[in-house]
Amino acid sequence: MNLTMKDEILKRFLLAKDNPISGQFLADDLGISRTAIWKHLQTLQEEGYVFETIKKKGYVLVGKPDKVDPARINSFLTTERFGRNIHYLDEVTSTQSIAHELAREGAVDGTLVIAETQTKGKGRMARPWESTKGKGVWMTIIIRPDVPPSQAPQFTLVAAVAIVNAIKSICKNFMPSIKWPNDILINGRKCTGILTEMLAEMDRVDALLIGIGINANQQQDDFPPDLQTIATSLSIEEKEEINRPQLVATILNYLELYCDQYIREGFKPIKALWEESSGTIGKQIKATTLREVIEGKAIGITENGVLEIQLENGEIKGVYSADIEIM
């Protein structure tokens, strides 16, 4: 874990759940002086955390800024690896770019890059991604599965299953659905995009960078006019504010679980979970690939994650990569 001493202190307050903690306990527990504890508390207060002093008992955390910082994410984590090494930044060009650099420098499996905003967030096919400051989840996780490059695209589907199940466990007023291959929709509007990039040698994956952008707490007027009819957020649909650190940690919990299951058991169990949450299967769709436009009924995905489309004449075509429009 790469928590700083300040984050270690904050983590203890988050886990204390409104119970007071004495400065002496913190000093003994962390092996630093009472003065050092006080200085770290001062820094946390400058960052927007509010502490109340209770006579003869210590400090209570009574107010938190809305940030996706490491300590708050860590307080919800149940993973062994994913999210145990976090690079948290206020503003980046894109978390994907930072993750590329870290992966090349040897970042460990499960390393997370997360930011409050991105100035050049990107989706598939280098499209720009709107990253409202402090309102969404903008993150990239570096994973190092021992698989051949041909299996890399399936991790986008693994990530989609993890995100959908995380959202379902936190939000109760709607059902998200997966639009093949990399979008999560709510009532037909996009709330999440996934971008998987690969660093690889000829016969093995060195690292996969799974970029995830989630509209969490935006309201309709936070979106540019051209997105207001096609985008939504979890908060709009749930009708209450989303705890972003909890959402991040829950995604990581599911993602580690499903990545490990995929490595251990193959794609079959993931395929079943994906189809269960699919908003594409059974629908008439138009798939625009680099070479052609295919119209037909989406009938399922193969063991390799390829979308199968049945044409009007009964022929079945497999699509590896495309823009999908539901007719």
Side-chain angles (χ1 to χ4, degrees), residues 5 9 12-13 19-41 51-60:
M5 186 58 71
I9 291 168
R12 280 153 179 77
F13 278 103
N19 293 311
I21 305 177
S22 73
Q24 190 60 56
F25 171 82
L26 288 170
D28 293 343
D29 185 33
L30 295 167
I32 59 175
S33 68
R34 287 281 300 273
T35 304
I37 294 291
W38 183 82
K39 285 180 179 175
H40 286 303
L41 290 176
F51 296 91
E52 196 174 276
T53 305
I54 298 179
K55 199 172 181 182
K56 295 186 178 177
K57 289 191 176 180
Y59 307 97
V60 175

Side-chain angles (χ1 to χ4, degrees), residues 25-300:
F25 171 82
L26 288 170
D28 293 343
D29 185 33
L30 295 167
I32 59 175
S33 68
R34 287 281 300 273
T35 304
I37 294 291
W38 183 82
K39 285 180 179 175
H40 286 303
L41 290 176
Q42 288 291 106
T43 303
L44 285 166
Q45 288 185 98
E46 288 163 14
E47 292 176 2
Y49 290 91
V50 181
F51 296 91
E52 196 174 276
T53 305
I54 298 179
K55 199 172 181 182
K56 295 186 178 177
K57 289 191 176 180
Y59 307 97
V60 175
L61 178 62
V62 294
K64 303 184 283 281
D66 184 13
K67 291 184 176 181
V68 282
D69 54 24
R72 293 187 67 190
I73 293 169
N74 184 263
S75 68
F76 294 102
L77 276 181
T78 58
T79 60
E80 289 182 8
R81 309 179 313 282
F82 286 22
R84 296 298 174 179
N85 187 37
I86 299 177
H87 294 261
Y88 167 69
L89 303 126
D90 186 60
E91 180 178 296
V92 293
T93 51
S94 82
T95 59
Q96 208 76 350
S97 300
I98 303 289
H100 265 281
E101 293 171 22
L102 292 171
R104 288 194 179 95
E105 291 166 6
V108 297
D109 181 42
T111 295
L112 179 71
V113 181
I114 190 163
E116 296 294 345
T117 187
Q118 303 177 108
T119 56
K120 293 181 181 175
K122 59 180 180 176
R124 280 177 75 239
M125 302 180 183
R127 295 189 182 108
W129 181 276
E130 188 71 29
S131 307
T132 315
K133 183 162 189 174
K135 296 287 183 80
V137 168
W138 323 121
M139 69 184 193
T140 301
I141 183 158
I142 301 167
I143 66 171
R144 298 190 182 274
D146 184 13
V147 296
S150 60
Q151 288 181 238
Q154 294 172 9
F155 282 88
T156 299
L157 307 182
V158 175
V161 168
I163 295 164
V164 158
N165 280 284
I167 291 172
K168 283 179 183 175
S169 74
I170 289 172
C171 302
K172 305 303 178 190
N173 292 333
F174 62 85
M175 288 293 285
S177 65
I178 304 169
K179 179 186 170 191
W180 185 91
N182 69 323
D183 292 340
I184 310 297
L185 306 184
I186 306 168
N187 299 321
R189 295 187 176 194
K190 183 170 175 174
C191 75
T192 301
I194 306 163
L195 175 64
T196 303
E197 296 180 312
M198 175 172 60
L199 302 177
E201 296 167 21
M202 285 294 288
D203 59 345
R204 61 179 289 275
V205 168
D206 182 42
L208 292 178
L209 314 177
I210 301 178
I212 299 169
I214 303 176
N215 299 330
N217 285 324
Q218 290 95 327
Q219 298 308 303
Q220 213 65 51
D221 57 6
D222 287 317
F223 296 115
D226 60 324
L227 295 181
Q228 289 190 6
T229 58
I230 58 173
T232 190
S233 74
L234 302 183
S235 178
I236 289 169
E237 305 295 337
E238 186 69 0
K239 298 179 174 55
E240 65 180 49
E241 189 163 302
I242 303 300
N243 182 323
R244 293 187 300 141
Q246 181 185 14
L247 176 62
V248 171
T250 307
I251 290 168
L252 294 173
N253 293 341
Y254 276 110
L255 190 57
E256 183 177 275
L257 175 74
Y258 292 139
C259 282
D260 288 353
Q261 184 178 24
Y262 172 52
I263 298 296
R264 196 173 58 245
E265 301 174 30
F267 191 59
K268 192 174 181 180
I270 303 298
K271 178 178 182 285
L273 291 168
W274 190 94
E275 290 182 334
E276 196 178 285
S277 294
S278 173
T280 307
I281 306 305
K283 302 281 177 64
Q284 288 293 127
I285 64 167
K286 180 163 78 172
T288 304
T289 72
L290 292 172
R291 296 179 181 175
E292 60 183 335
V293 176
I294 303 166
E295 291 190 17
K297 184 180 181 181
I299 58 170

